[in-house]
Amino acid sequence: MIFTFFAIVGFVIDVWIMPWYVESIELEVPNVVGMNKDDAEKLLTESNLNPILEGPRYSDEFPVDHVIYQKPESGSMVK
C-alpha cells in the first residue's frame, strides 16, 4: 500500500510537476567579447540573461574593462 502511494506520487512529480518547474524559453547568447564590460552587462540583462562577472583578466589584445572571454560562447542556446 505504501509502495503504491509513493509510486503514484513519484509518477505525478515526474510527469507533471518537474516539466512545469524546469520549463523556460531558450535564448541565444549574444557576442560580448571586445565590448566594454558595462555595455556587455547591459546587453545581456536586456536580453533577459543573467550576466555573471568574474575577476579581472588581462590581455594585450583588449583595453582595460573590456570583455576578453565569455562562457557560454556566443550563439549558444541557454535557458
Side-chain angles (χ1 to χ4, degrees), residues 15-60:
V15 173
W16 285 300
I17 296 174
M18 286 306 292
W20 169 79
Y21 182 72
V22 298
E23 180 182 333
S24 65
I25 59 172
E26 288 190 349
L27 303 169
E28 184 175 349
V29 178
N31 185 14
V32 294
V33 173
M35 293 179 68
N36 176 282
K37 72 175 182 145
D38 296 328
D39 295 337
E41 186 175 8
K42 181 179 177 184
L43 174 63
L44 292 170
T45 302
E46 289 173 351
S47 299
N48 292 323
L49 296 168
N50 260 345
I52 298 174
L53 304 176
E54 292 186 0
R57 294 184 182 188
Y58 303 97
S59 171
D60 294 333

Side-chain angles (χ1 to χ4, degrees), residues 49-76:
L49 296 168
N50 260 345
I52 298 174
L53 304 176
E54 292 186 0
R57 294 184 182 188
Y58 303 97
S59 171
D60 294 333
E61 297 178 31
F62 298 96
V64 174
D65 288 337
H66 280 63
V67 178
I68 65 172
Y69 173 79
Q70 79 177 61
K71 184 178 179 182
E73 296 179 2
S74 63
S76 299

